[in-house]
Amino acid sequence: MFTTGEKLRFTLFGKSHGPCVGGILDGMPGGFPVDTGMVAEEMRLRKPVGRIGTPRREADEVRFEQGITDGRTDGSPILMIIENGNTDGSKYMKFYDTPRPGHADLPALLKFPDHDLRGSGQFSGRLTAAIVAAGAIAKQYIGTFGISVDAFSRSIGGIADTEPRDMSWARASRSNATRACTPELDDAMRRAIEDAGSDGDSVGGTVECVVSGLPIGFGGIWFEALDAELAKAMFGIPACKGVEFGDGFALASMRGSQSNDGYRFEDGRIVTRSNHLGGIVGGMCDGAPVIFRTVFKPTPSIAVEQDTINLSTERDDTVSVEGRHDPCIVPRAVAVVEAMAALTVADQIMRGY
Ligand SMILES: Cc1cc2nc3c(=O)[nH]c(=O)nc-3n(C[C@H](O)[C@H](O)[C@H](O)COP(=O)(O)O)c2cc1C
């Protein structure tokens, strides 16, 4: 079991080819109405679609075993179970000898002698289903404070969306399978994924997330800084290899006169004139939307032959991955990024930041 959060604690459990994956959300106030239809809609957005997602198709129905009574939280920990139905572990057996490069196989086999490699065990993206279920409740909770979290695919397989995008664009991406903001980008990103998939290969990309409605000053400082905790949350998602806020790594080549976001009054409210810093200074919100991007590497499991070692023969070897995999993680990761961001913000609210 893996736990994150301080006042709103989320615990994740299960494995790809066990009976279920699930989560426990502990800390929600009692009497909070939970819209389970909205939870189901968030789960839909994490499901694989067409040829851009894994052929493993799951019902992904969330069973609330405890903590919600007559549609309201009852103050006890919310226990969520999502059954694993569509499992086939046969293609994973060879990885006990020839671990897949890019996946967790090698360190996991050496560190955990009982590691269950079927479906990648506890390292599977399958567990993110439970994150999305818990995140949906966190989204509803932060919504009561006027805060929303919306993400979209900023780039996939070298196809980059270069237009400025806001919350409403991110919401529009919900209609597109790749989670691109426009049908044209959706088409180009889909082709990039399908081309890689046809070659037995995979592609990566970036998810951009917009957190709107945070008041100036929201966020912890130092090790509890809002950006520090969001970054930690993102790095907890499998395949995340980078997080940047605002102009991120491009800030390295700017001058302060370019990167500072000046202030002005608008109808008596303090607003920033730009958003190079992603809406966070000193760990706290400066009134602009919090904007960050998360990089997801290309899916490690690919049919293209890879160099590896053979743990039985103790010789160099090769491995080619069969079985069912996402040729790109990004479209499905968008819902996971939103969920982790919502859980982080909800926890910071409960901690009084
Ligand atoms: C939503 C989601 C789906 C994923 N699907 C796959 C997959 O089909 N095949 C695969 O090899 N890795 C997949 N991954 C990535 C692996 O879980 C991840 O690369 C692996 O656990 C190693 O962890 P690391 O990449 O963080 O180092 C997925 C990740 C996420 C978030």
Side-chain angles (χ1 to χ4, degrees):
M1 304 233 275
F2 314 98
T3 300
T4 183
E6 203 175 296
K7 291 279 185 211
L8 183 66
R9 287 171 300 283
F10 173 62
T11 300
L12 181 64
F13 61 85
K15 56 184 181 177
S16 176
H17 285 36
C20 65
V21 296
I24 301 166
L25 190 62
D26 184 15
M28 281 293 291
F32 183 82
V34 174
D35 178 349
T36 52
M38 181 272 193
V39 177
E41 174 59 7
E42 298 294 298
M43 297 299 286
R44 181 188 71 77
L45 290 167
R46 199 201 67 94
K47 283 187 179 182
V49 176
R51 286 173 54 215
I52 66 168
T54 172
R56 176 178 176 181
R57 303 291 148 107
E58 291 279 3
D60 277 353
E61 272 164 28
V62 183
R63 271 201 337 259
F64 295 99
E65 294 279 357
Q66 189 188 299
I68 297 181
T69 309
D70 297 332
R72 289 183 181 268
T73 57
D74 60 20
S76 67
I78 302 169
L79 171 61
M80 291 157 281
I81 298 288
I82 304 153
E83 279 176 16
N84 293 324
N86 192 351
T87 54
D88 172 11
S90 60
K91 302 285 193 300
Y92 290 85
M93 293 306 135
K94 67 178 180 184
F95 308 139
Y96 282 102
D97 286 336
T98 51
R100 291 167 291 175
H103 217 297
D105 303 353
L106 179 65
L109 284 169
L110 298 184
K111 187 166 182 170
F112 309 114
D114 297 328
H115 177 49
D116 181 358
L117 257 175
R118 293 170 308 150
S120 309
Q122 63 182 351
F123 296 93
S124 171
R126 171 89 192 121
L127 275 74
T128 61
I131 295 177
V132 172
I137 297 175
K139 269 187 166 189
Q140 293 177 37
Y141 176 73
I142 66 175
T144 62
F145 295 84
I147 302 166
S148 58
V149 171
D150 300 280
F152 62 94
S153 295
R154 178 53 92 175
S155 72
I156 284 180
I159 307 293
D161 179 352
T162 53
E163 295 298 317
R165 302 291 180 194
D166 61 10
M167 175 180 94
S168 52
W169 279 110
R171 288 197 184 158
S173 80
R174 291 174 157 249
S175 313
N176 297 323
T178 64
R179 297 300 303 268
C181 284
T182 68
E184 295 73 27
L185 282 163
D186 183 50
D187 200 42
M189 290 181 183
R190 181 184 48 74
R191 271 187 278 115
I193 299 171
E194 290 179 354
D195 286 352
S198 308
D199 295 340
D201 217 331
S202 62
V203 286
T206 51
V207 174
E208 183 163 313
C209 186
V210 185
V211 186
S212 314
L214 295 172
I216 296 178
F218 181 88
I221 57 175
W222 283 99
F223 310 117
E224 294 167 355
L226 182 56
D227 43 2
E229 296 209 337
L230 283 170
K232 182 179 178 225
M234 293 305 122
F235 277 109
I237 304 173
C240 164
K241 277 295 173 190
V243 180
E244 62 174 9
F245 288 81
D247 289 348
F249 282 81
L251 291 165
S253 54
M254 287 184 178
R255 289 189 163 193
S257 54
Q258 297 170 305
S259 63
N260 287 343
D261 298 310
Y263 301 114
R264 66 183 172 83
F265 280 105
E266 187 180 274
D267 303 328
R269 264 181 351 114
I270 302 168
V271 296
T272 60
R273 290 177 179 274
S274 52
N275 193 357
H276 299 294
L277 302 179
I280 300 180
V281 286
M284 299 166 289
C285 182
D286 65 7
V290 167
I291 296 180
F292 64 91
R293 277 173 297 284
T294 304
V295 179
F296 288 94
K297 71 185 188 185
T299 314
S301 298
I302 52 174
V304 174
E305 197 172 83
Q306 307 273 288
D307 289 331
T308 187
I309 39 80
N310 191 309
L311 291 167
S312 289
T313 63
E314 297 189 349
R315 289 180 182 278
D316 291 347
D317 207 336
T318 58
V319 65
S320 162
V321 179
E322 304 156 76
R324 305 174 300 173
H325 297 280
D326 295 303
C328 182
I329 291 163
V330 174
R332 304 184 64 201
V334 174
V336 188
V337 165
E338 288 184 357
M340 284 305 298
L343 286 164
T344 306
V345 170
D347 185 43
Q348 290 224 336
I349 291 174
M350 290 185 188
R351 284 150 68 188
Y353 294 146

